[in-house]
Every structure is written in C-alpha cells, then in structure tokens.
Amino acid sequence: MTQPLFMVGARGCGKTTVGQALARVLGYAFTDTDEMLWRSTGKTVAEIVADEGWAGFRARESEILTSVIQGQTVVATGGGIILSAANRHFMRARGTVVYLHVSAQELARRLQVYPDEEQRPSLTGKPMIEEIADVLAAREKLYQEAAHHILDASQAAPDDVVYAILQQLYPSAAS
Ligand code: ADP
Ligand code: MG
C-alpha cells in the first residue's frame, strides 16, 4: 500500500497488538503515535498531560500524526485521535483507516487483566467501567466516521482479527 494504514479505536481495543501482527504479515513497518511522541518530546503521554494538559497533548498528537505519510506502514493511534475533525480528515485522505470495535465490557476486562504499565490519567475521574462506557459512547460515531473498515474485535483472537482485516483490505485475494 502506498499510503499508511491507521488503526483507530478505544484504549485496549488491540491497536498495538493487532497492528503489530498485521504489519508483520504484510512486511510493513509499525509505529505508534504515543511512541512517536515519546521520541520527539522525551515524555510519556502521562507526563505530557501532567505538564501541558489534555489540550496540549492533543495538539502534539495532531502535529505528530501529520508527519506520518509513508506507505507500507501500520500506525497505531491514540484512542482520542478521532476527536479532531482535522485528524479524521487527514487519516481518511492520506491513509486507510481501520477501526477495531470492542465493547465497553470487554475493554474493561482487558484493562483489568492487563493493566497499562504506564497508567493513563483518567479522563473523567469516574470508576473505570463507567468511564470506558461513557467515553466509548461519545466516540463511537467518530471512530465509524473516520474508518474505511470496521471490524468487531471483541471476541476474536488477535490473529483472527488480522485475518479479518486482510479479507477486508484484499477481498479478491481471499480464498
Ligand atoms: P491498544 O493498543 O488499542 O490500547 P493493546 O494492543 O495494547 O490495545 O491491547 C490491550 C490488551 O488487550 C493487551 O494486553 C492485549 O494483549 C489484549 N488484546 C488485544 N487484542 C486482543 C484480542 N483480540 N483478544 C484478547 N485480548 C486482546
Ligand atoms: Mg497501543
């Protein structure tokens, strides 16, 4: 693919896990907007939010996103990247956007089983399951609006999600 593949979805939906596996299968490079931010600022997401607030983080994230233009690359994005209309338009126009839909219940389960090494600051201060459900409800439409391809990634194992993505990307190649 001559344009990057952007993975979008809520925290814990599998953007990194599935994105890395997809990149491996395709022989593409893999990158992550949080990782790019770390390389450019020397700060973690939590540190950027602590120093500059969520607005500061979002501005830096948008800036870093527009630096991703090379093809043969899978890019895992931050869960809130789709909040900005400019980000949604950039990804749709300059790449192929894959949304991994996962239910709030399954997201909560994954985050409990595999807590983030670097816990992200809470967006609302509410209990986790409520926050996840609220945030997902508010963002669902935006993820769908940004996406060229929507996958249900709640039940399937990562490799099965990769296979489903490949079927959507290359329908004629499916056996
Ligand atoms: P994201 O990058 O979207 O925040 P991750 O790829 O880090 O999500 O996945 C979050 C956690 O959920 C990880 O511990 C990962 O192993 C697990 N996970 C990811 N995809 C799946 C899946 N399809 N089924 C079960 N667990 C998954
Ligand atoms: Mg990730």
Side-chain angles (χ1 to χ4, degrees):
M1 253 180 216
T2 56
Q3 292 187 317
L5 262 165
F6 294 104
M7 310 295 300
V8 304
R11 179 161 62 113
C13 75
K15 299 179 295 290
T16 300
T17 309
V18 172
Q20 278 175 340
L22 179 65
R24 227 174 3 250
V25 170
L26 292 170
Y28 286 6
F30 174 82
T31 184
D32 193 302
T33 51
D34 289 352
E35 163 78 24
M36 293 172 76
L37 278 175
W38 191 85
R39 269 188 271 127
S40 86
T41 65
K43 292 187 203 175
T44 63
V45 172
E47 286 167 343
I48 296 173
V49 172
D51 293 352
E52 303 170 26
W54 278 107
F57 167 71
R58 298 274 178 237
R60 286 190 180 275
E61 192 181 41
S62 296
E63 197 183 311
I64 213 92
L65 181 68
T66 60
S67 73
V68 182
I69 48 169
Q70 69 278 26
Q72 309 228 325
T73 305
V74 177
V75 186
T77 61
I81 203 110
I82 44 72
L83 292 172
S84 146
N87 291 352
R88 297 196 299 277
H89 296 152
F90 176 84
M91 291 189 294
R92 272 194 77 85
R94 306 297 289 271
T96 300
V97 186
V98 174
Y99 169 37
L100 301 181
H101 173 85
V102 172
S103 66
Q105 202 181 6
E106 170 64 10
L107 290 171
R109 189 195 68 79
R110 289 184 196 174
L111 293 175
Q112 264 156 2
V113 178
Y114 318 100
D116 260 5
E117 281 143 44
E118 184 236 322
Q119 268 300 345
R120 287 223 173 180
S122 165
L123 288 164
T124 60
K126 285 187 181 173
M128 190 173 72
I129 179 68
E130 269 179 56
E131 173 169 309
I132 289 170
D134 287 358
V135 170
L136 191 60
R139 294 179 177 178
E140 180 66 40
K141 248 188 69 187
L142 300 178
Y143 287 127
Q144 294 191 11
E145 198 180 302
H148 294 102
H149 302 285
I150 301 173
L151 283 297
D152 184 352
S154 287
Q155 305 298 331
D159 284 349
D160 296 333
V161 179
V162 169
Y163 184 70
I165 294 170
L166 291 170
Q167 282 185 311
Q168 286 211 18
L169 293 177
Y170 308 104
S172 57
S175 48

